[in-house]
Structures are given as structure tokens and as C-alpha cells.
Amino acid sequence: MNNKGFVLIETIVTSVFVLGLFTFIVANIIPLIGDYEKASDYDTVESVYDAHMIRKMLLKSDSGKLANLLSFTNVPNKFYFFDGTEICSYVTNSVYCKKLLSRDYLDVRELVLTTYTISDDFVSYARKNFDRALREYIIQMQRYTNTETNPSNYNFARRLIVVFNDGRITNIELLFDGEGGSGGATC
């Protein structure tokens, strides 16, 4: 009967322990779930395969306009941003391109064509100008700084970032020799 003070102290200690455990869960586990949900839309097998189809279409194009686009002549930020099917005006078979990128097939929302190595200037630009999902994806992308990972045996080594309408985002290399089509390009 005289243990009322002891029971109160036990209750307080238990409450502090439970509160500490709850704080640990909120501070550590919840962000992991958010990171998983965010990363579940990045570089999925399906999106990489879809980006590969876009790459094949671009590399098979014999258009001189595409080679001029890839050269980044007079482009200070060294990237192009295309909404939907805007890139199709640079390829030989624009009808096929529009069909491939349409809502009926790949359902592409945006394409970003940039240098093979993601530059700090491009990341800074993305932080200020792109929507949240694309900005976060670009920030977390691997930076290729080692000369062995930058393919120098192609005239144009570029990276194509594809944003789909369902929220998936992926990137794929676009290696183009620029002489009479894709030439030594990889698919």
C-alpha cells in the first residue's frame, strides 16, 4: 500500500523508455521507408528496358540534326530538356519516334540529354529548375570522373535521362560516333 511513489517512478521510467523507442523509430525507420519508396521508381528493370528502346531508336537515326544536337554546339549548360515527343524532330523516323514515346506505348513525359559525366554545373541547374523528382534523381546519380569510365572512342558520349508519366526515372548511356548514323554506337 505504501508503494504508490515507487509505482509512479516505475510508470515514468517505462514511459520515458517507450517514448525513447518511439523517437528512435520515427527518426531512423520512417526516413528509410521514404528512401525505399523514392528509390523504387528509380532505374527499375522495366524503365531501363524502355530507355534502351529509346536509345536504339536514336542511334539508328541517320539524321544530321541528331549529330548536331549531340555536339552541344552553342549550348552553355551542355544539356537539352525535351517535353514528351519534342526530340522526335531530330530523328529520321519522327512518326515512329512519336508513337514510341506516346502514352499508348512508353508514356514518356520528359527526356534530358546531357554529357556522359554529370557535371556539378548541371546538378546546380537541376536543383533550381527541375521538378522535385527529377532533381532528386539527378542529385543521387553516379558521377563518372575516372577517365576509364568515360568512353573516349566515340565522338559523342552522352547520357539520356528518361522521365515516365507514371513516376519512373532512369538514365542510359548514349554513345554515338556521329559519322553516318550510329556507326560504332552501343545498344
Side-chain angles (χ1 to χ4, degrees):
M1 287 199 175
N2 293 333
N3 291 334
K4 290 182 182 181
F6 182 72
V7 171
L8 178 62
I9 291 173
E10 277 184 338
T11 304
I12 291 172
V13 168
T14 304
S15 297
V16 168
F17 176 75
V18 170
L19 184 63
L21 184 62
F22 182 72
T23 303
F24 173 79
I25 290 172
V26 169
N28 293 308
I29 305 299
I30 302 293
L32 288 176
I33 293 170
D35 288 345
Y36 170 76
E37 288 174 355
K38 179 174 59 174
S40 68
D41 290 334
Y42 293 169
D43 300 322
T44 63
V45 172
E46 180 184 6
S47 64
V48 171
Y49 178 75
D50 291 347
H52 173 70
M53 290 176 60
I54 296 168
R55 175 176 60 181
K56 283 178 63 173
M57 180 222 16
L58 291 173
L59 293 177
K60 286 183 180 179
S61 177
D62 290 332
S63 172
K65 291 189 280 185
L66 182 62
N68 190 35
L69 179 78
L70 292 171
S71 69
F72 290 137
T73 306
N74 299 322
V75 181
N77 292 327
K78 302 290 186 212
F79 82 93
Y80 290 103
F81 180 85
F82 301 99
D83 278 327
T85 60
E86 286 179 350
I87 198 169
C88 295
S89 63
Y90 294 94
V91 299
T92 306
N93 192 348
S94 64
V95 174
Y96 173 73
C97 177
K98 289 177 182 177
K99 188 73 168 175
L100 181 67
L101 302 180
S102 72
R103 290 192 182 272
D104 295 333
Y105 288 96
L106 298 183
D107 197 18
V108 173
R109 184 177 75 206
E110 302 163 341
L111 294 168
V112 179
L113 183 63
T114 187
T115 56
Y116 185 86
T117 302
I118 303 301
S119 69
D120 292 335
D121 292 338
F122 178 63
V123 172
S124 296
Y125 182 88
R127 286 177 197 248
K128 298 174 192 167
N129 298 294
F130 292 157
D131 69 358
R132 184 181 63 81
L134 182 55
R135 179 178 60 238
E136 288 177 0
Y137 181 79
I138 290 169
I139 290 169
Q140 67 85 34
M141 281 179 67
Q142 180 178 359
R143 305 292 187 276
Y144 297 99
T145 56
N146 190 341
T147 55
E148 290 123 27
T149 61
N150 194 355
S152 58
N153 55 339
Y154 296 96
N155 290 342
F156 307 115
R158 303 293 182 248
R159 189 153 302 281
L160 182 67
I161 302 169
V162 183
V163 181
F164 298 91
N165 279 316
D166 63 2
R168 294 176 296 133
I169 303 175
T170 194
N171 78 85
I172 197 161
E173 63 188 14
L174 186 64
L175 305 176
F176 189 80
D177 85 9
E179 298 171 8
S182 61
T186 64
C187 286

